[in-house]
Amino acid sequence: MVKILISGYGKMGHMIEQSVQSRGIPYAGWSEDIASYDRTLAAECVCIDFTMPESFRKNYRTLAENFKAVVVGTTGWYDIKDEVFAYFRECGTPLVWASNFSVGVNVLSAAVELVSSKFAKAGGYTPYIIEKHHCHKLDAPSGTALTLADDIRRNMPGEEVAISSVRAGEIPGIHTIVFEGLNDRFTLEHEAFSRHALADGAVTAALMTEGLEGVHEFKELLFGEV
C-alpha cells in the first residue's frame, strides 16, 4: 500500500494533503526540510514534491537515495533533466514527473502532438502559445507552456514557438495553443478552475508508482504508454 509524504507545505501542499485524506490513502504528513527527514520512514513513503526549483535542485539526490518513489510537480529544473533522470535510475528509485499533473492538461498535450503533426504535413501554419497564471507564480514561461512547445517542436522541427506569459490576479492557469495560417486560425485551450486538479493528479501519480520501475512522464502512465 502506498504511503504519501509531502515535500513542501505551501498552497499546493495543503491541497495535496486534502486529496490524500479525502481518498483515505495512508499519510505520513509533510516536511519543509526533506533532507533531514528520517531515512527509515522515507523508505516506506512516496514523496510528492511541490517546492521551489532551487529546493528541488538541492534535494533531488536525497529524494532519489531515500524514498520508495518520488512524484515531482516542481518545475524550473528541466535544464538538468538528464542529470536528474540518470541519478534516479542509478538509485533504482521510480520517478514520475510532469510540468502539470492536471488530467485535462495531459489530454491537451496529447491533442497538441496530434494537431501539430497534421499542420506540419499541411504546411503554412505558425504555432504560438499564450499562458496566463496568478500573480504569485514566479517562473515565466510556465513549465507547462515549455512542455507544450516541446510537443509542437517534435512534429515541427526548426519551428520557433513564441510563448507569451501573463501574471495577474488569482488565475489558476489558462494555456492557449494557436496555429495561425494565412486564411484561418486553429486554437486549443485548457482552463483550470483551481489548482485542485494538479493536487488530485499528483496523488493519482503516487498511487501509480506501486510496482513501477524507472522514470516516467505522467502522461505515459495515464495513456498506457509505459
Side-chain angles (χ1 to χ4, degrees), residues 1-217:
M1 171 65 76
V2 168
K3 180 188 290 186
I4 291 176
L5 174 79
I6 301 169
S7 176
Y9 199 55
K11 290 181 180 180
M12 278 304 304
H14 282 78
M15 290 180 188
I16 292 166
E17 181 179 66
Q18 292 170 19
S19 180
V20 170
Q21 293 178 335
S22 69
R23 293 161 75 167
I25 300 165
Y27 180 46
W30 54 272
S31 174
E32 290 281 17
D33 182 15
I34 206 68
S36 65
Y37 193 74
D38 184 277
R39 297 191 176 194
T40 302
L41 296 177
E44 303 173 355
C45 297
V46 176
C47 181
I48 299 180
D49 185 286
F50 272 85
T51 54
M52 301 297 289
E54 59 270 22
S55 295
F56 180 74
R57 288 170 184 270
K58 182 177 70 175
N59 292 325
Y60 80 84
R61 290 178 178 270
T62 297
L63 293 168
E65 291 166 2
N66 295 292
F67 284 88
K68 183 178 180 181
V70 177
V71 172
V72 181
T74 305
T75 59
W77 53 271
Y78 297 154
D79 57 309
I80 60 166
K81 188 187 292 184
D82 291 345
E83 174 186 325
V84 171
F85 291 175
Y87 198 71
F88 271 86
R89 292 187 179 106
E90 180 183 330
C91 293
T93 302
L95 171 67
V96 181
W97 69 280
S99 57
N100 192 311
F101 275 94
S102 161
V103 171
V105 164
N106 281 275
V107 172
L108 174 65
S109 175
V112 166
E113 290 200 41
L114 174 62
V115 169
S116 61
S117 70
K118 301 301 183 184
F119 280 121
K121 290 180 180 178
Y125 285 80
T126 300
Y128 60 91
I129 297 171
I130 303 167
E131 58 97 354
K132 304 174 184 177
H133 284 88
H134 51 87
C135 61
H136 315 290
K137 187 170 178 61
L138 299 179
D139 59 321
S142 69
T144 300
L146 293 172
T147 299
L148 291 168
D150 286 342
D151 292 339
I152 294 170
R153 290 191 196 97
R154 273 194 292 276
N155 291 307
M156 305 175 80
E159 187 74 59
E160 182 176 345
V161 184
I163 303 175
S164 296
S165 300
V166 175
R167 297 290 176 266
E170 298 296 332
I171 303 168
I174 302 172
H175 290 87
T176 307
I177 297 86
V178 183
F179 295 86
E180 188 89 18
L182 182 62
N183 299 308
D184 59 2
R185 176 185 301 121
F186 186 93
T187 303
L188 293 166
E189 182 173 274
H190 175 271
E191 178 176 359
F193 299 146
S194 78
R195 280 167 274 181
H196 283 287
L198 282 74
D200 287 344
V203 173
T204 296
L207 296 176
M208 289 177 167
T209 63
E210 192 75 10
L212 190 68
E213 295 181 355
V215 174
H216 303 278
E217 192 172 1

